[in-house]
Amino acid sequence: MKIAAVAVVVLLGALCPCLMAQVSTPINILWQAAANWTGDLPCGGWDCDCVFRNSKGCCCVAVPLFQLEETTFMRMVDLWKDLNSLSNKIQEITARRNVAFAASLTQITGCFGPFNKNVSISYCNVTLNQGYGYNQALGTFTAPRAGLYSFSYTVYSNVGAEGERIYYKVQLMKDGQVIASSWEDNREDSEDSATQTVLLQLKQGNQVYMELVLGRFLCADTQGYNSFSGYLVYPMSDI
Ligand SMILES: *[C@@H]1O[C@H](CO)[C@@H](O)[C@H](O)[C@H]1NC(C)=O
Ligand SMILES: *[C@@H]1O[C@H](CO)[C@@H](O)[C@H](O)[C@H]1NC(C)=O
Ligand SMILES: *[C@@H]1O[C@H](CO)[C@@H](O)[C@H](O)[C@H]1NC(C)=O
């Protein structure tokens, strides 16, 4: 054991001066200053009679080194925490960011309606449904996340001939509440349309859909002119 320890000391002694000579780092300067120190060592309590016998520098640098290591470690822990929360925030902002849908009525040759109550309109020809917010069976869009959303719809009806009554009214609904509506009641022309766009602040789970108001009807949309679309403008945190 003793031989081994001596061997280590000799080896270190041989290596250290070379290292000292090659690189001049703050630690090396500290080490040298400590090695040059001729008075009593200020770092009491530390066991200097180890393998680094005769090397005062090791003893004096040990405490600041340990402190440096400790602070560095604590800083790294803090940085790691910050990085983690930053990455969570980025994920929160970017995840489920792409929300958009577009759908239109599939061909109707006759009329949709009239009904004796307000009925939701199922736009079944879905051409876009990113984020899967739109349910074509119900014609309902459910906000997958909170945010500012834009919705547009076009209502169109063709009653076939002048003198026939165009009589429609559709309304954009948010959870049972009327947000916007478009209507027509005339015998002057045979076809008519209207378009609306609204911006809505939604919470996650809010539902937006279109209704055909009772007694009204939409006729002969053979081109899919009746449409409903929407998209997330930007996410907001749920309140
Ligand atoms: C330590 O002593 C050596 C030799 O006397 C000298 O060259 C060197 O500059 C000293 N280092 C410090 C940091 O005082
Ligand atoms: C669905 O909409 C697309 C785009 O408007 C259209 O090309 C297609 O013919 C429509 N399909 C049906 C079944 O209405
Ligand atoms: C149907 O919609 C009309 C027009 O907005 C409204 O006055 C009426 O109260 C609605 N009926 C029901 C049962 O919600």
Side-chain angles (χ1 to χ4, degrees):
M1 277 310 280
K2 225 168 193 170
I3 292 163
V6 169
V8 168
V9 170
V10 168
L11 192 65
L12 276 169
L15 279 174
C16 281
C18 302
L19 288 173
M20 296 300 114
Q22 273 169 10
V23 279
S24 171
T25 65
I27 292 294
N28 289 344
I29 293 165
L30 201 63
W31 190 94
Q32 259 189 26
N36 288 1
W37 182 258
T38 48
D40 288 336
L41 286 179
C43 44
W46 185 262
D47 175 19
C48 292
D49 275 338
C50 55
V51 282
F52 301 115
R53 202 189 312 266
N54 302 326
S55 184
K56 297 178 207 160
C58 290
C59 179
C60 279
V61 169
V63 173
L65 257 188
F66 176 74
Q67 281 165 350
L68 186 67
E69 202 178 301
E70 191 77 350
T71 354
T72 309
F73 177 73
M74 291 319 287
R75 272 196 195 170
M76 274 174 72
V77 168
D78 286 347
L79 277 176
W80 187 80
K81 276 186 197 156
D82 288 352
L83 205 65
N84 227 25
S85 93
L86 198 66
S87 130
N88 283 347
K89 270 182 199 151
I90 289 172
Q91 187 130 22
E92 202 176 288
I93 290 165
T94 55
R96 293 172 296 138
R97 179 69 183 76
N98 296 348
V99 182
F101 75 95
S104 59
L105 278 192
T106 39
Q107 218 179 53
I108 41 171
T109 44
C111 293
F112 177 65
F115 304 105
N116 59 11
K117 60 177 184 160
N118 301 344
V119 296
S120 71
I121 305 169
S122 297
Y123 298 85
C124 289
N125 186 7
V126 182
T127 48
L128 177 71
N129 196 6
Q130 270 198 302
Y132 304 103
Y134 181 70
N135 179 323
Q136 69 190 80
L138 303 172
T140 302
F141 172 79
T142 305
R145 63 172 304 165
L148 183 74
Y149 287 81
S150 172
F151 293 94
S152 299
Y153 67 80
T154 291
V155 53
Y156 167 87
S157 187
N158 181 357
V159 289
E162 270 180 51
E164 293 295 318
R165 188 185 187 193
I166 297 184
Y167 190 55
Y168 67 68
K169 180 172 185 177
V170 296
Q171 51 198 18
L172 184 129
M173 309 290 292
K174 174 190 162 190
D175 291 334
Q177 178 199 350
V178 179
I179 301 294
S181 54
S182 304
W183 60 93
E184 194 67 62
D185 181 6
N186 77 63
R187 293 171 192 277
E188 287 147 24
D189 48 8
S190 61
E191 60 181 331
D192 227 319
S193 71
T195 298
Q196 277 253 36
T197 298
V198 293
L199 281 177
L200 281 180
Q201 203 172 310
L202 300 183
K203 289 179 182 175
Q204 184 177 3
N206 278 157
Q207 297 197 313
V208 178
Y209 49 95
M210 294 296 302
E211 273 187 357
L212 175 68
V213 173
L214 76 160
R216 311 276 179 140
F217 45 87
L218 299 172
C219 301
D221 177 8
T222 54
Q223 306 292 322
Y225 290 143
N226 280 277
S227 64
F228 180 38
S229 64
Y231 62 91
L232 173 64
V233 180
Y234 54 78
M236 294 163 81
S237 42
D238 227 333
I239 314 135

